[in-house]
Amino acid sequence: MVGTTGQSLMLEVQKQVSLQALNSFGFSSIADSYTEITEPSQLPLLIDYCQAHKLPWLLLGGGSNLVLSAHVPGVVALIKLQGVDITSLEPPYVRVRVAAGEPWHETVSWLLSQGYYGLENLALIPGAVGAAPVQNIGAYGVELKDRVTGVDVYDTLQGQFTRLSSAECQFNYRDSLFKSVEPGRYIITAVEFELFTNPDHLVLNYQALQKTCEVLAGSQVITPRHVFDAVCQLRRNKLPDPAMLGNAGSFFKNPWVSQAKYQILRQNFTDLVAYPDAGGYKLAAGWLIEACGWKGKHYEKVGVYAKQSLVLVNYGGGDREQIESLATQISDSVHAVFGIWLEPEPRYYP
Ligand SMILES: Cc1cc2nc3c(=O)[nH]c(=O)nc-3n(C[C@H](O)[C@H](O)[C@H](O)COP(=O)(O)OP(=O)(O)OC[C@H]3O[C@@H](n4cnc5c(N)ncnc54)[C@H](O)[C@@H]3O)c2cc1C
């Protein structure tokens, strides 16, 4: 137990804890030290403890965007902060503040059941609410940043709790202040969303989503509930369930190329999958990987998912070294054929 004298506030630190059930690859991994954060007020204690012992710390949500080594030094802190508050209700908008430890999918589902709409395109993404801003999660035409008004954090540099506006979070495609600008500085304690109280703000840009919604709705008008159900259906068909086959979702970001680069590629690869983005084009990383012949390939105990080349999987007994080696081989071959480097989405730790 680590505590502050005269206070009941405690931090229970356990030694040599297995993280195998706490990472979606299911890699065998042992943390030197492990603790669970159930109150924001434990965070200063955690940081003081780590700094006093010169230990690194790793914040853990659902472990679905991490590639863990067999040995994790320092302290792993599982964020278990709970609670949902309606901070304002002024139709057609509602603001909801959700604590970082709440599970993402269940939160989306609960908000929908309350008649608060806008997150249904992000259904079934694994993990916790507190990790969602880190890589600005996105799916089916909606990104977290489209719905966030503010993120409550503990600033480990200043030693204080504060709120960052959406602009201050510097959200970008699968990126944010928390991931690449100042990684490790902020511990997210809660996220505030602005959602809709009427059901007519549907985002149906993806053809497959629109079609599935039409089938589900039949002769009725498409509602957010149809979108939620359609997204779940599409994802279940496309992505492996980490409970059955270890994975971290899309392993690589879709790379951006300039107009000029796109035109050259298009001349050589007429079926290249790309969509206009920020003055250039985003290329479908899954298509690039598949074009290099990787779909369904096995490498030692890991491999490329047979139904979706963007997903790397652990067939059982795989580890960080195998995934890293496979990812490097894939990236090298995509570079050799297309002249583009792929960037991994999950974080390797340490
Ligand atoms: C099957 C599958 C499908 C997926 N689909 C998508 C998708 O469609 N779109 C998408 O964007 N992602 C997707 N992902 C990736 C992943 O689910 C998301 O990135 C998710 O937000 C990670 O949440 P987590 O709680 O598991 O984070 P973790 O893996 O636990 O942590 C991820 C990072 O966030 C940091 N972190 C965790 N909690 C906090 C906190 N409270 N404060 C500060 N930092 C913190 C961690 O230290 C780590 O660096 C998918 C993953 C899987 C396995």
Coordinates of all heavy atoms in Angstrom, one line a residue, residues 18-29 62-64 66-68 242-243 245-248 313-320 323:
S18 N 0.2 -10.4 -14.1 CA 0.0 -10.8 -15.6 C -1.0 -9.8 -16.2 O -2.0 -9.5 -15.7 CB -0.5 -12.2 -15.7 OG -0.9 -12.4 -17.0
L19 N -0.6 -9.4 -17.4 CA -1.4 -8.4 -18.2 C -2.1 -9.2 -19.4 O -2.7 -8.6 -20.3 CB -0.6 -7.3 -18.8 CG 0.1 -6.4 -17.7 CD1 1.0 -5.4 -18.4 CD2 -0.9 -5.8 -16.8
Q20 N -2.0 -10.5 -19.4 CA -2.4 -11.3 -20.6 C -3.9 -11.0 -20.8 O -4.3 -10.9 -22.0 CB -2.2 -12.8 -20.4 CG -2.4 -13.5 -21.7 CD -1.7 -14.9 -21.7 OE1 -1.3 -15.4 -20.7 NE2 -1.6 -15.4 -22.9
A21 N -4.7 -11.0 -19.8 CA -6.2 -10.8 -19.9 C -6.5 -9.3 -20.1 O -7.6 -8.9 -20.4 CB -6.9 -11.3 -18.7
L22 N -5.5 -8.4 -20.0 CA -5.7 -7.0 -20.1 C -5.2 -6.4 -21.4 O -5.1 -5.2 -21.5 CB -5.1 -6.3 -18.9 CG -5.6 -6.7 -17.5 CD1 -4.9 -6.0 -16.4 CD2 -7.1 -6.5 -17.4
N23 N -4.8 -7.2 -22.4 CA -4.4 -6.6 -23.7 C -5.1 -7.5 -24.8 O -5.1 -8.7 -24.7 CB -2.9 -6.5 -23.9 CG -2.2 -7.9 -24.1 OD1 -2.0 -8.2 -25.3 ND2 -2.0 -8.6 -23.1
S24 N -5.6 -6.8 -25.8 CA -6.5 -7.5 -26.7 C -5.7 -8.4 -27.7 O -6.4 -9.2 -28.4 CB -7.4 -6.5 -27.5 OG -6.5 -5.7 -28.3
F25 N -4.4 -8.3 -27.8 CA -3.6 -9.3 -28.5 C -3.5 -10.6 -27.7 O -3.2 -11.6 -28.2 CB -2.2 -8.8 -28.8 CG -2.1 -8.2 -30.2 CD1 -1.7 -6.8 -30.3 CD2 -2.3 -8.9 -31.3 CE1 -1.6 -6.3 -31.6 CE2 -2.2 -8.4 -32.6 CZ -1.8 -7.0 -32.7
G26 N -3.8 -10.5 -26.4 CA -3.6 -11.6 -25.5 C -2.2 -12.1 -25.3 O -1.9 -13.3 -25.1
F27 N -1.3 -11.1 -25.5 CA 0.2 -11.5 -25.3 C 0.4 -11.7 -23.8 O -0.1 -11.0 -22.9 CB 1.1 -10.3 -25.8 CG 1.1 -10.2 -27.3 CD1 1.5 -9.0 -27.9 CD2 0.8 -11.3 -28.1 CE1 1.5 -8.9 -29.3 CE2 0.8 -11.1 -29.5 CZ 1.2 -9.9 -30.1
S28 N 1.3 -12.7 -23.6 CA 1.8 -12.9 -22.3 C 2.7 -11.8 -21.8 O 3.7 -11.6 -22.5 CB 2.5 -14.3 -22.3 OG 3.1 -14.5 -21.1
S29 N 2.4 -11.1 -20.8 CA 3.1 -9.9 -20.4 C 3.0 -9.8 -18.9 O 1.9 -9.9 -18.3 CB 2.5 -8.7 -21.1 OG 3.1 -7.5 -20.7
G62 N -8.6 -0.5 -22.0 CA -9.0 -1.9 -22.4 C -7.8 -2.6 -23.0 O -8.0 -3.8 -23.4
G63 N -6.7 -2.0 -23.1 CA -5.5 -2.7 -23.7 C -5.7 -3.1 -25.2 O -5.1 -4.0 -25.7
S64 N -6.6 -2.4 -25.9 CA -6.9 -2.8 -27.3 C -6.1 -2.0 -28.3 O -6.4 -2.1 -29.5 CB -8.4 -2.6 -27.5 OG -8.8 -1.3 -27.5
L66 N -2.6 -1.5 -27.8 CA -1.2 -1.7 -27.3 C -0.6 -3.0 -27.7 O -1.3 -4.0 -27.9 CB -1.3 -1.7 -25.7 CG -1.4 -0.4 -25.0 CD1 -1.8 -0.6 -23.6 CD2 -0.2 0.5 -25.1
V67 N 0.7 -2.9 -28.0 CA 1.5 -4.1 -28.2 C 2.5 -4.2 -27.1 O 3.5 -3.5 -27.0 CB 2.3 -4.0 -29.6 CG1 3.0 -5.3 -29.9 CG2 1.3 -3.7 -30.7
L68 N 2.2 -5.1 -26.1 CA 3.0 -5.2 -24.9 C 4.1 -6.2 -25.0 O 4.0 -7.3 -25.6 CB 2.1 -5.6 -23.7 CG 1.0 -4.6 -23.4 CD1 0.2 -5.2 -22.2 CD2 1.6 -3.3 -23.0
P242 N -11.6 -9.9 -30.4 CA -10.4 -10.2 -29.6 C -10.5 -11.3 -28.6 O -9.5 -12.0 -28.3 CB -10.1 -8.9 -28.9 CG -10.8 -7.8 -29.7 CD -12.0 -8.5 -30.3
A243 N -11.8 -11.6 -28.2 CA -12.0 -12.7 -27.2 C -11.7 -14.1 -27.9 O -11.4 -15.0 -27.2 CB -13.4 -12.7 -26.7
L245 N -9.8 -14.2 -31.1 CA -8.6 -14.1 -31.9 C -7.9 -12.8 -31.6 O -8.4 -11.7 -32.0 CB -8.9 -14.2 -33.4 CG -7.7 -14.4 -34.4 CD1 -6.9 -15.6 -34.1 CD2 -8.3 -14.4 -35.8
G246 N -6.8 -12.9 -30.9 CA -6.1 -11.6 -30.4 C -5.8 -10.7 -31.5 O -5.3 -11.1 -32.6
N247 N -6.1 -9.4 -31.3 CA -5.8 -8.4 -32.4 C -5.9 -7.0 -31.8 O -6.5 -6.9 -30.6 CB -6.7 -8.6 -33.6 CG -8.1 -8.1 -33.4 OD1 -8.4 -7.0 -33.7 ND2 -8.9 -9.0 -32.8
A248 N -5.5 -6.0 -32.5 CA -5.7 -4.6 -32.0 C -6.4 -3.8 -33.1 O -6.2 -2.6 -33.2 CB -4.3 -4.0 -31.7
V313 N -3.1 -10.6 -36.4 CA -3.7 -11.4 -35.3 C -2.7 -12.3 -34.6 O -1.6 -12.6 -35.2 CB -4.8 -12.2 -35.9 CG1 -6.0 -11.4 -36.4 CG2 -4.3 -13.2 -37.0
N314 N -3.0 -12.6 -33.4 CA -2.2 -13.6 -32.6 C -3.0 -14.9 -32.6 O -4.0 -15.0 -32.1 CB -2.1 -13.0 -31.2 CG -1.4 -14.0 -30.3 OD1 -0.7 -14.9 -30.7 ND2 -1.6 -13.8 -29.0
Y315 N -2.4 -15.9 -33.3 CA -3.0 -17.2 -33.3 C -2.9 -18.0 -32.0 O -3.4 -19.1 -31.9 CB -2.5 -18.0 -34.5 CG -3.0 -17.5 -35.8 CD1 -2.1 -16.8 -36.7 CD2 -4.3 -17.6 -36.2 CE1 -2.6 -16.3 -37.9 CE2 -4.8 -17.1 -37.4 CZ -3.9 -16.4 -38.2 OH -4.4 -15.9 -39.4
G316 N -2.1 -17.4 -31.1 CA -1.9 -18.1 -29.8 C -0.4 -18.3 -29.6 O 0.2 -19.0 -30.4
G317 N 0.1 -17.7 -28.5 CA 1.5 -17.9 -28.2 C 2.4 -16.9 -29.0 O 3.6 -17.0 -28.8
G318 N 1.8 -16.0 -29.7 CA 2.6 -15.0 -30.4 C 3.0 -13.9 -29.4 O 2.6 -13.9 -28.2
D319 N 4.0 -13.1 -29.8 CA 4.4 -12.0 -28.9 C 4.8 -10.7 -29.6 O 4.6 -10.7 -30.9 CB 5.7 -12.5 -28.1 CG 6.8 -13.0 -29.0 OD1 6.9 -12.5 -30.1 OD2 7.6 -13.8 -28.5
R320 N 5.2 -9.8 -28.9 CA 5.5 -8.5 -29.5 C 6.5 -8.6 -30.6 O 6.4 -7.9 -31.6 CB 6.0 -7.5 -28.4 CG 6.4 -6.2 -28.9 CD 7.6 -5.6 -28.1 NE 8.2 -4.5 -28.8 CZ 8.3 -3.3 -28.3 NH1 7.9 -3.0 -27.1 NH2 8.8 -2.3 -29.0
I323 N 5.0 -9.8 -33.8 CA 4.1 -8.8 -34.4 C 5.0 -7.7 -35.0 O 4.7 -7.2 -36.2 CB 3.1 -8.2 -33.4 CG1 1.9 -9.2 -33.2 CG2 2.6 -6.9 -33.8 CD1 0.9 -9.3 -34.4

